């Protein structure tokens, strides 16, 4: 699929991405993914916590933010639920545009575009299930 409308990158979802003293609940593999021993603070995702202890789950909450993006050297936070460190830098959160949901499918090859009103069920063209050897089940 094309670029994600939130992060403007393509890729698969990765969960619980951690490196040095930073952690992220959800990231896209098409974006910058910092190496485990890197302390560059460049990975962005949903559920971000910088300067924490991600392997133990301990957060100082000072640099936590649900949505963080950087463009042109400026930080953009969405919503108002972010740590005191961002406030000290006089970074202001933006009003939330709505709720986020993650849709997964083993059948869909595309997703309805902006303006499409989703129902409780999204119909897709189905394809047969295959077992590990590639034959139909």
């Amino acid at each position: 699929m094309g670029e994600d409308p939130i992060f403007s990158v393509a890729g698969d979802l990765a969960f619980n991405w951690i490196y040095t003293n930073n952690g992220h609940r959800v990231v896209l593999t098409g974006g910058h993914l910092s190496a485990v021993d890197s302390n560059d603070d460049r990975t962005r995702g949903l559920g971000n916590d910088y300067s924490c202890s991600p392997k133990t789950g301990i957060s100082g909450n000072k640099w936590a933010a649900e949505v963080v993006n950087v463009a042109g050297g400026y930080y953009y936070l969405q919503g108002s639920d972010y740590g005191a460190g961002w406030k000290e830098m006089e970074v202001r959160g933006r009003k939330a545009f709505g709720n986020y949901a993650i849709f997964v499918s083993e059948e869909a090859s595309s997703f309805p575009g902006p303006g499409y009103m989703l129902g409780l069920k999204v119909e897709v063209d189905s394809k047969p299930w295959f077992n590990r050897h590639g034959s139909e089940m």
Side-chain angles (χ1 to χ4, degrees), residues 20-129:
T20 56
N21 63 344
N22 302 305
H24 310 274
R25 288 289 176 211
V26 182
V27 296
L28 286 168
T29 59
H32 176 83
L33 298 178
S34 300
V36 70
D37 60 348
S38 174
N39 191 17
D40 62 7
D41 297 342
R42 290 183 54 213
T43 298
R44 307 283 179 253
L46 297 177
N48 306 281
D49 202 346
Y50 300 94
S51 194
C52 65
S53 182
K55 290 183 180 179
T56 63
I58 297 173
S59 170
N61 290 322
K62 183 172 183 176
W63 298 104
E66 293 307 317
V67 179
V68 179
N69 263 315
V70 179
Y74 294 98
Y75 290 93
Y76 295 96
L77 309 179
Q78 186 171 325
S80 60
D81 182 18
Y82 52 89
W86 299 107
K87 293 173 187 171
E88 290 169 9
M89 288 178 53
E90 298 184 4
V91 173
R92 301 284 187 255
R94 306 279 190 239
K95 289 185 177 181
F97 297 111
N99 297 317
Y100 292 104
I102 298 171
F103 293 90
V104 295
S105 173
E106 293 184 353
E107 299 175 354
S109 60
S110 64
F111 192 77
Y116 182 87
M117 296 298 292
L118 294 176
L120 293 177
K121 183 176 180 182
V122 177
E123 296 292 334
V124 297
D125 292 330
S126 64
K127 62 182 179 181
W129 285 84

